[in-house]
Amino acid sequence: MADRDEILAYASELLDLDAYPDYGPMGLQVAGTREVKRLACGVSSSLELFERTAAAGAQMLLVHHGLLWDRDPRVIDDASRRRLKTLFDAEITLAAYHLALDAHPELGNNALLARELGIDPSEQFAGIGFGGPLAEPVSVEDFTARVRDKLGSEPVVFAYGPERVERAAVITGGAARHLVDAAGAGYDLFLTGEPAEPSMHTARELGIHFVAAGHYATERIGIQALTERLAERFDLEWEFIDLPNPV
């Protein structure tokens, strides 16, 4: 058993949470019981995720996409009430880790996914991303096959870069706007989660490969790594609740 606030404080320090201004409150979002025996994690807040966390008997849920965003209205509508009621009834603490988790060089989505795909994440890119050389140059077809194998998703690929991919950059999730930055930094390929409408023409005109492997698919890895680290630190059980999303 561990104390809720000690877990949250450790996670905040580990991720240097205050160094990454975000689009809403990060760390604690909804307070539950102080005594934590089991952790759960998932990518995005939803009623189904909260219900499955309660069914799993977890007292704390860690997510990448939290419940509270600056852009959202302050009104608690029916959907929000159902979500909150599920958390309150089961006394579940909800904690969210977004940009700080993306940016972490050891536990973050970007560095971990880069390593999974054979990219050395030795270069910081666009504030929260990572890039670097591949262990061995490959064709874009081989790189795409690697993405498909590692993530289980069918990527959108705009193959307008060089014949061999030698350097690549990664920002998971919704970061298509950084395609221009990747080309400007000399990368042969840029990988993110979602394409934007201009991405195809931008890739063609700048001579760079663009790979969008799914917002959800590219952001499963970091929250699991963080939860595993917390579970080890506080001697707790944990599980990942996978709610696949084609986006």
Side-chain angles (χ1 to χ4, degrees):
M1 184 179 299
D3 180 78
R4 175 196 68 199
D5 293 346
E6 290 183 8
I7 298 171
L8 294 170
Y10 179 80
S12 178
E13 182 178 359
L14 176 65
L15 298 179
D16 194 13
L17 202 58
D18 292 339
Y20 295 91
D22 217 310
Y23 307 110
M26 292 296 122
L28 177 66
Q29 291 202 338
V30 178
T33 181
R34 287 289 297 263
E35 297 180 348
V36 178
K37 298 178 182 178
R38 185 177 182 85
L39 303 174
C41 64
V43 176
S44 298
S45 294
S46 69
L47 179 60
E48 182 179 1
L49 181 60
F50 299 164
E51 290 173 339
R52 289 185 55 177
T53 300
Q59 294 78 41
M60 180 178 287
L61 172 64
L62 289 81
V63 296
H64 186 52
H65 302 132
L67 190 62
L68 306 175
W69 298 97
D70 293 341
R71 66 176 181 267
D72 291 343
R74 297 183 182 181
V75 174
I76 305 300
D77 60 13
D78 289 339
S80 297
R81 181 181 60 81
R82 286 191 292 269
R83 289 179 171 187
L84 289 170
K85 186 176 187 302
T86 302
L87 295 173
F88 293 158
D89 287 350
E91 296 189 276
I92 295 168
T93 292
L94 175 67
Y97 301 96
H98 188 226
L99 297 181
L101 181 57
D102 284 331
H104 197 274
E106 181 185 356
L107 303 175
N109 286 312
N110 298 317
L112 286 174
L113 183 55
R115 292 188 184 100
E116 283 283 307
L117 297 175
I119 304 165
D120 175 14
S122 55
E123 304 160 3
Q124 283 195 314
F125 170 68
I128 62 171
F130 287 91
L134 275 69
E136 182 177 339
V138 297
S139 68
V140 68
E141 292 80 12
D142 287 345
F143 186 86
T144 301
R146 187 180 299 175
V147 171
R148 194 179 294 116
D149 177 64
K150 295 293 185 182
L151 297 181
S153 61
E154 186 59 45
V156 174
V157 180
F158 301 136
Y160 295 112
E163 182 176 346
R164 307 294 285 178
V165 178
E166 298 184 6
R167 297 178 66 244
V170 174
I171 301 182
T172 61
R177 64 188 180 279
H178 290 296
L179 176 58
V180 173
D181 300 325
Y187 290 106
D188 303 319
L189 181 147
F190 176 60
L191 182 141
T192 187
E194 298 180 49
E197 194 280 333
S199 297
M200 182 181 73
H201 291 288
T202 300
R204 177 187 295 158
E205 292 167 18
L206 295 179
I208 184 173
H209 299 298
F210 176 84
V211 179
H215 197 137
Y216 181 88
T218 59
E219 298 201 317
R220 290 179 298 201
I221 191 168
I223 200 67
Q224 293 183 72
L226 173 62
T227 307
E228 182 177 23
R229 174 66 62 86
L230 297 177
E232 291 174 352
R233 172 67 175 79
F234 293 95
D235 193 23
L236 299 169
E237 296 180 348
W238 74 282
E239 69 175 280
F240 173 61
I241 300 175
D242 192 13
L243 300 178
N245 187 330
V247 176

